[in-house]
Amino acid sequence: MTASASRRRLLLGGAAAVATSVAAPALRAAPASAATYAPNPYRATPLPTAQQRHYLSRLGCGLSRTSFAAMVADGGETAWFERQLAPASVPESATALALPGWYPDLADAPATRWSKHVAGAKQSWKYAENLAACSMLRQVYSTRQLLETMVGFWSDHLHVHANADLGWVHRSTYDDTIRAHALGRFDDLLVATALHPAMLLYLDNWRSVRGAPNENHGRELLELHTVGRGSGYTETMVKDSARILSGYTVDAHNTWAGYYDPARHTTGTVKVLGFAAPNDAPDGQQLAVDYLRYLARHPATAQSVARRLARRFVSDAPSSALVGAVAQTFRDSGTDIRATLRTLVAHPEFAASTNRLVRTPVEDFVATCRVLEVAAAPPTSDLSFARSCVWSLESTLPHHWPRPDGSPVGNPAWSSASRMLSSFRMHWNLAAGWYPTVDVTYRTPASWLPQPSIRLDQYVDHLCRVLLGKGSDSRLLTAAVTATGYGPTTVLTRDHPVCTWMFVRLLGTLLDSPDHMRR
């Protein structure tokens, strides 16, 4: 293979040399003696089973040496999963505990946020950006992996845009609310989020007045958060839904406090999908709570939530048997999220679904940082890793999806050529330590060597075990040989080009592979 052909193949595999402004040395021509190469296992590096990797990738936030060791210490994937369902029983990492202090402005009261925004001292988009960064780094560094996964799941299902008009002033406490209920009961979660000031502002319920309730919140509650379009609700029911929620408001542009105002509540008989009430009292607070709990426990909500869980954790097209089993547990348990997840994970389709889902850009960034053991430090400026990491995505930031339906679920949404090229660039930046560079420590190329000297084919197998949670195969080894231009029997030491300036090509090739970009 010629050097120019090797470059073309490398680019098609996702090389991101454009991520640096310094021209890389020319590639060697790959050995031409064979089209493919047989793997040579390096068994000294521990290897998770396929199911252990599956649990870490689907239920956690991706493989890492720390999480794999924790799973082994817990007694395997099943025991690890059970412990993760009780996050308070899992000692949290020091970095994860410190993260809220890295973004002190996120603790600003809503009125303080607004005053800073108006004065230009700190504007809404910056609060939203820092919340996104904090959310991403929680996933990277937390030992409570399932909790972080479920916080992300519910944040999409019950979406409030982090930089939405007005709603952003309460977005950090909304995140706290989701975190508090993410592994509890859905009916409690729905009540807490639906009546939270962030949601009241985002979906305009705060604008409702007696006799003229704003319909936006009542509609999205039915369409997106609970029963879904196929449940049979009507426009009249949407209006009744809005009447039930009217009265919950926010002291916008003043204290920003959320409160209930009976003078804003629209009375009159209401009927929504079997829920009926005279609604004749000025104070409709209990009516709203009863209504929300009714919707949370409705059979159509069970189906809707079960389907979204199955698509997030199993496949783009889960069977009706899987969705039905998960929905049944959701109802029978009184919307208990832990019990619902147990049924999903115990179903044969979950175990059989390895490597069928494409990681989103956020999931890809998190998984890449975890396997590369990127060590962020407290930020000292906006150029710090902890603040600028959000721009590594070149995609929609966490909590920033522009519509109320939350980030899309499914492989087609995240498989475009532009997305792939952006992720390839991110892989190479992180693998080489090119960006971000402030307040962060990356592993040196020499630190990846498992012994002072090693053949390339064994080194590739070692790296595959650490980065991908699997041994190398002929496809991955051939890609590594093509990327570096050195044959599989080449002996490497810390001073060899493959372990110095060329190392990014080797890591980048493995990270750009479907083995890393799927979960």
Side-chain angles (χ1 to χ4, degrees), residues 409-420:
V409 178
N411 290 346
W414 304 112
S415 301
S416 69
S418 60
R419 175 270 151 100
M420 292 298 168

Side-chain angles (χ1 to χ4, degrees), residues 140-189:
V140 173
Y141 296 111
S142 178
T143 56
R144 299 166 179 175
Q145 287 283 282
L146 180 59
L147 173 62
E148 295 306 321
T149 297
M150 292 308 296
V151 168
F153 174 84
W154 294 123
S155 294
D156 280 332
H157 184 66
L158 303 165
H159 178 55
V160 170
H161 193 307
N163 193 27
D165 181 33
L166 305 186
W168 66 270
V169 300
H170 278 284
R171 189 56 182 77
S172 294
T173 58
Y174 186 76
D175 190 69
D176 295 337
T177 297
I178 289 180
R179 189 171 299 279
H181 294 283
L183 287 169
R185 287 186 1 177
F186 180 73
D187 57 354
D188 292 335
L189 173 63

Side-chain angles (χ1 to χ4, degrees), residues 10 90 96 190 200 203 258 280 283 366 372 387 452 461 506 509 515:
L10 183 57
V90 181
L190 184 66
L200 299 176
L203 295 183
D280 52 7
D283 189 333
V366 169
L372 293 180
R387 291 182 182 160
D461 188 72
L506 180 55
T509 296
D515 308 75

Side-chain angles (χ1 to χ4, degrees), residues 62-74:
L63 175 72
S64 74
R65 291 196 297 180
T66 301
S67 58
F68 174 42
M71 179 175 282
V72 171
D74 284 339

Side-chain angles (χ1 to χ4, degrees), residues 225-268:
H225 303 161
T226 59
V227 294
R229 290 182 179 178
S231 60
Y233 66 83
T234 64
E235 281 299 307
T236 298
M237 293 179 188
V238 168
K239 295 178 187 298
D240 282 355
S241 182
R243 293 162 72 185
I244 293 170
L245 296 175
S246 64
Y248 284 93
T249 190
V250 177
D251 186 21
H253 305 288
N254 191 17
T255 66
W256 293 98
Y259 68 103
Y260 189 81
D261 183 359
R264 289 173 170 258
H265 178 60
T266 300
T267 56

